[in-house]
Amino acid sequence: MIRTVVFIIAFGLCINAVWAIDEKSINRLRDALVALAPDVDPGEAERLSMTAHTAERSLAREYRMVRFPGVQNLLIHMGKRERGYCAHYARDMGERLKELRLKTLELHWGSAYAGRFTEDNALVVTARNQPFEDGILMDGWRDAPRLFWCPLKKDPDYRRRPDMFLQSADGRNRNNPTAWQEEPLYTTWLQDYTHKWQWKPAAQ
């Protein structure tokens, strides 16, 4: 009986600690979104931040995520897990954020090192008609079950390598200090609130 009571108390303390961490991150992300442009609706920014953080926790449970995302990928390859790739997070979180029908903010799909072993996919939020490179990155996979977010240009883990400048012959993101590039097709899917798109996951 005593063990049960102790377990319940400990569990409750853990839940409170997790919520305190999330609440701080929710408020900080909201403020960062509001700061993107003068016409960003604070209420919309708060709804987006709350939904993204809630979705992150929910998807981590649904995917049965392990602590290290690279191990999750290995488990998927071994058939021990069905979902939990970075693209799964971007797709499923994007589906929930689309339901907000944003008016002063826009969702974008970004990929870093596309087609390589180190590829990552995530969502980027900008103010309406703002360049992709000026947005806020939201990566559900990297620090699961916590939502990682930061200004896209300041992402410490996906910096552009010198040789990558040679791979931008089309001029896309030539001056972008990060390895992140927008995927126009998936961005169109994220911003289309009226039609169901036939979605195909990005390569892993």
Side-chain angles (χ1 to χ4, degrees), residues 17-123:
V18 167
W19 171 245
I21 292 171
D22 280 359
E23 186 175 25
K24 183 177 180 181
S25 182
I26 288 167
N27 293 336
R28 288 177 57 238
L29 177 54
R30 175 202 62 204
D31 294 344
L33 294 172
V34 170
L36 287 173
D39 59 348
V40 172
D41 177 10
E44 183 170 274
E46 183 164 14
R47 288 191 297 275
L48 189 153
S49 182
M50 176 69 77
T51 303
H53 282 82
T54 302
E56 169 67 30
R57 293 287 181 182
S58 174
L59 291 173
R61 289 192 299 271
E62 179 183 326
Y63 300 158
R64 295 188 294 139
M65 284 293 292
V66 297
R67 179 63 187 90
F68 301 103
V71 175
Q72 181 79 8
N73 288 7
L74 178 61
L75 291 173
I76 294 172
H77 282 296
M78 294 171 58
K80 303 295 185 181
R81 296 286 192 277
E82 293 185 5
R83 296 178 70 77
Y85 286 140
C86 56
H88 293 147
Y89 269 102
R91 167 65 170 80
D92 294 344
M93 188 179 294
E95 193 73 75
R96 299 183 189 195
L97 292 176
K98 281 183 65 172
E99 295 178 2
L100 298 176
R101 295 180 172 268
L102 303 171
K103 293 183 173 64
T104 64
L105 294 165
E106 289 184 330
L107 297 172
H108 305 257
W109 185 294
S111 65
Y113 305 147
R116 300 187 180 195
F117 177 74
T118 52
E119 177 178 348
D120 193 9
N121 293 272
L123 301 178

Side-chain angles (χ1 to χ4, degrees), residues 90 108-112 119-124 132 137 152 180-183 186-187 190:
H108 305 257
W109 185 294
S111 65
E119 177 178 348
D120 193 9
N121 293 272
L123 301 178
V124 174
F132 169 81
L137 174 73
L152 181 72
W180 288 99
Q181 294 189 349
E182 184 168 17
E183 296 293 341
Y186 299 149
T187 291
L190 285 167

